[in-house]
Amino acid sequence: MSTLNHLPKFVEVVEVGPRDGLQNEANPVPVAVKVDLIDRLSAAGLPNVEAAAFVSPKWVPQMAGSSEVMAGIRRRPGTVYSALVPNMKGMEAALAAGVGEVVVFSAASEAFAQKNINCSIAESIERFRPVAEAAKSAGVKLRGSISVALGCPYQGAVEPSAVAEVVRRMADLGCDCIDIADTIGVGTPGAVQAVFEASAAAFPMDKLAGHFHDTYGQALANILAALQMGVASFHSSVAGLGGCPYAKGATGNVATEDVLYLLHGLGIDTGVNLRAVVEAGDFITRAINRPNNSRAGKALLAKWAAEQGEPACAA
Amino acid sequence: MSTLNHLPKFVEVVEVGPRDGLQNEANPVPVAVKVDLIDRLSAAGLPNVEAAAFVSPKWVPQMAGSSEVMAGIRRRPGTVYSALVPNMKGMEAALAAGVGEVVVFSAASEAFAQKNINCSIAESIERFRPVAEAAKSAGVKLRGSISVALGCPYQGAVEPSAVAEVVRRMADLGCDCIDIADTIGVGTPGAVQAVFEASAAAFPMDKLAGHFHDTYGQALANILAALQMGVASFHSSVAGLGGCPYAKGATGNVATEDVLYLLHGLGIDTGVNLRAVVEAGDFITRAINRPNNSRAGKALLAKWAAEQGEPACAA
């Protein structure tokens, strides 16, 4: 008997390639290339494109030029342009740049918070209080992102109840939606369902999102498991942009093309044109000379090339 | 509410890398390397290793030396060594080589059968009647394999009822188990559940197996969907050996390491040692100088290298 009869009818795909993906590139990507990529992605119909991070270029040189990127894009009605902000200085720059959603972040493991944010989880969220208030005043959306929710490179296992506690704090901060991130891609479907079940006790399931890395190849199975719980928003990165900072050579973000292929195959509407996303993936991987990490993207590019009588040469 | 409470407790993982995987290699792989690979895979605890194909070397030069491979391996009690046989000549060679299971094959699309086997589906199965009888007489298992069950490169969509009809013919032939193969990797979970539901009307679900290619990245999601239907046998290829003959540069067989990571994460027993399979994948990809297409394999190799203080260099 089918177990897929009660999936969401519409799923929001949040494209994180231009920020989360390109942030892991060793060489900075020119502003013009980022603008071109973001415009291709919004034109494809993606409802949310994480376009920038207003962080100190001293810490994250890849994100220098975020204001220029935001000034250069062609804003498409129907697409929210989101940006990561670490503090009020970043928030002011983000508001000046006209972002539609700001992303604040914490972790589900104290070990990870101490190592990456230099404070406790609770402190890290409290520090965002002024940012949250500024977001409300300015009428921009506030998104909370919770790292290492399915496992931590320093601490190992993470309990669903620990994730739910961070969700509760993010909800208290006033977040409009909250991402559960498997930052190192170690989760499997049962663990994913347990984390979303626990988190949904603290925040509505339809405002939770899954951010899965494909490091162990599990991302689409995890998305399927989360869809069965009623989760209707997922993050992904065109061409799978962004490696895994915790395992050299390993895979990072799940590819948007693969997620769209899954959702459309399940009869779920996304409002996104898969072909346009595949072409955007081909564009950016050629522009920055990186392999295309989308399996659906590579297969479709090879298929289209064969149909055109061209030699298929997707790497 | 979890949708994963009624999965099989034990799943059989059928390793097809040495045959289905290496058959797609442009350069023939030496017998000694194949023997080493097969011995590593059986030592890892895999219950079934597709080790050879007794086909004309004129048509499939990669499979020359199948008798030598079977003579060279160290047979592990608990592992069935299976081999593809196209006809009685192959069957005689397979029996002489001491295979434990023979694999006969057809397709779910008439267009594919005509193009690849030069006859109708029904004829292709009837031609195997002497092979099936010889298998019964010799006391070796008979497996039936059905190609393009989720979509055909020539015909496009394939109806679940068409797959079920081929299952019925294979059952009538006397097959002990039957594989449903997504040869071009186009299936998504809803289609997979529909095909298994239709097929289970003709043959017991617990003797059906899923053979999924990861060409569009869907294989693990499809396995999860099939597990939810009660399917308890899956084919996979160590390091994802074997490209896609229908789309150059695209991904072929799902990687055994990724499947084991999924199943073990779900608490399902396989009897297989994941680490030993990852090491076998590292061995064969170095031996034949191919990229490792297992995401879990690459991630674990990078992790272990980092733990040893070595530079992580998984490609």
Side-chain angles (χ1 to χ4, degrees), chain B residues 111-145:
Chain B
F112 193 89
Q114 288 295 347
K115 200 131 179 169
N116 279 266
I117 335 180
N118 276 313
C119 61
S120 73
I121 294 169
E123 282 168 343
S124 74
I125 295 173
E126 275 315 302
R127 284 185 194 173
F128 280 119
R129 189 78 53 189
V131 169
E133 284 163 7
K136 296 293 159 197
S137 306
V140 307
K141 289 188 184 176
L142 182 67
R143 196 211 301 169
S145 182

Side-chain angles (χ1 to χ4, degrees), chain A residues 111-199:
Chain A
F112 193 89
Q114 288 295 346
K115 200 131 178 169
N116 280 266
I117 335 179
N118 276 313
C119 62
S120 72
I121 295 168
E123 283 168 344
S124 74
I125 295 173
E126 274 316 303
R127 284 185 194 170
F128 281 119
R129 188 81 47 193
V131 169
E133 284 162 8
K136 296 293 157 197
S137 306
V140 306
K141 289 188 183 175
L142 182 67
R143 195 212 302 170
S145 182
I146 304 175
S147 293
V148 296
L150 272 298
C152 167
Y154 310 118
Q155 167 186 312
V158 171
E159 287 300 313
S161 59
V163 180
E165 177 56 29
V166 187
V167 168
R168 206 165 284 120
R169 289 181 188 276
M170 291 260 185
D172 174 69
L173 191 69
C175 288
D176 299 300
C177 54
I178 298 175
D179 317 330
I180 308 288
D182 185 6
T183 310
I184 56 173
V186 293
T188 45
V192 165
Q193 290 198 340
V195 165
F196 276 94
E197 189 162 24
S199 299

Side-chain angles (χ1 to χ4, degrees), chain A residues 1-4 185-191 193 197 214-218 220-222 224-225 228-229 247-251 257-259 261-262 265-266 293-296 298-300 302-303 312-315, chain B residues 1-4 185-191 193 197 214-218 220-222 224-225 228-229 247-251 257-259 261-262 265-266 293-296 298-300 302-303 312-315:
Chain A
M1 282 272 296
S2 169
T3 60
L4 306 170
V186 293
T188 45
Q193 290 198 340
E197 189 162 24
D214 204 27
T215 316
Y216 289 78
Q218 309 297 306
L220 287 200
N222 290 342
L224 183 65
Q228 292 180 324
M229 303 290 287
K248 204 176 163 196
T251 311
E257 299 90 320
D258 299 11
V259 174
Y261 189 93
L262 171 71
L266 288 165
N293 276 325
S294 166
R295 296 186 169 195
K298 284 191 291 187
L300 287 168
K303 189 177 170 217
C313 57
Chain B
M1 282 271 296
S2 169
T3 58
L4 306 171
V186 293
T188 45
Q193 291 198 339
E197 189 163 25
D214 205 27
T215 315
Y216 289 78
Q218 309 297 307
L220 287 199
N222 290 342
L224 184 65
Q228 292 180 324
M229 302 291 286
K248 203 177 163 197
T251 311
E257 299 90 319
D258 299 11
V259 173
Y261 190 92
L262 172 71
L266 288 165
N293 277 325
S294 165
R295 297 188 168 191
K298 283 191 289 187
L300 287 169
K303 188 177 170 218
C313 57

Side-chain angles (χ1 to χ4, degrees), chain B residues 30-232:
Chain B
V31 165
V33 172
K34 285 187 189 173
V35 167
D36 196 343
L37 174 63
I38 293 165
D39 284 349
R40 287 167 186 262
L41 294 167
S42 62
L46 283 152
N48 190 319
V49 178
E50 198 175 274
F54 292 91
V55 294
S56 165
K58 198 170 74 187
W59 299 113
V60 191
Q62 294 92 336
M63 286 295 115
S66 280
S67 298
E68 290 81 351
V69 167
M70 288 302 298
I73 56 174
R74 203 164 47 234
R75 288 172 191 251
R76 188 189 78 95
T79 296
V80 172
Y81 299 89
S82 50
L84 199 81
V85 298
N87 50 35
M88 273 309 287
K89 189 176 172 199
M91 184 63 179
E92 282 152 18
L95 290 177
V99 307
E101 183 181 70
V102 293
V103 183
V104 298
F105 48 92
S106 187
S109 129
E110 289 292 353
F112 193 89
Q114 288 295 347
K115 200 131 179 169
N116 279 266
I117 335 180
N118 276 313
C119 61
S120 73
I121 294 169
E123 282 168 343
S124 74
I125 295 173
E126 275 315 302
R127 284 185 194 173
F128 280 119
R129 189 78 53 189
V131 169
E133 284 163 7
K136 296 293 159 197
S137 306
V140 307
K141 289 188 184 176
L142 182 67
R143 196 211 301 169
S145 182
I146 304 174
S147 292
V148 297
L150 272 298
C152 168
Y154 311 117
Q155 168 186 312
V158 172
E159 287 301 313
S161 59
V163 180
E165 177 55 28
V166 187
V167 168
R168 207 166 284 120
R169 289 180 188 275
M170 291 263 186
D172 174 68
L173 191 68
C175 288
D176 300 298
C177 56
I178 299 175
D179 317 330
I180 308 289
D182 184 7
T183 309
I184 55 172
V186 293
T188 45
V192 165
Q193 291 198 339
V195 165
F196 276 94
E197 189 163 25
S199 299
F203 201 68
M205 191 72 93
D206 64 2
K207 293 179 176 178
L208 290 172
H211 177 116
F212 298 118
H213 281 218
D214 205 27
T215 315
Y216 289 78
Q218 309 297 307
L220 287 199
N222 290 342
I223 288 175
L224 184 65
L227 284 169
Q228 292 180 324
M229 302 291 286
V231 180

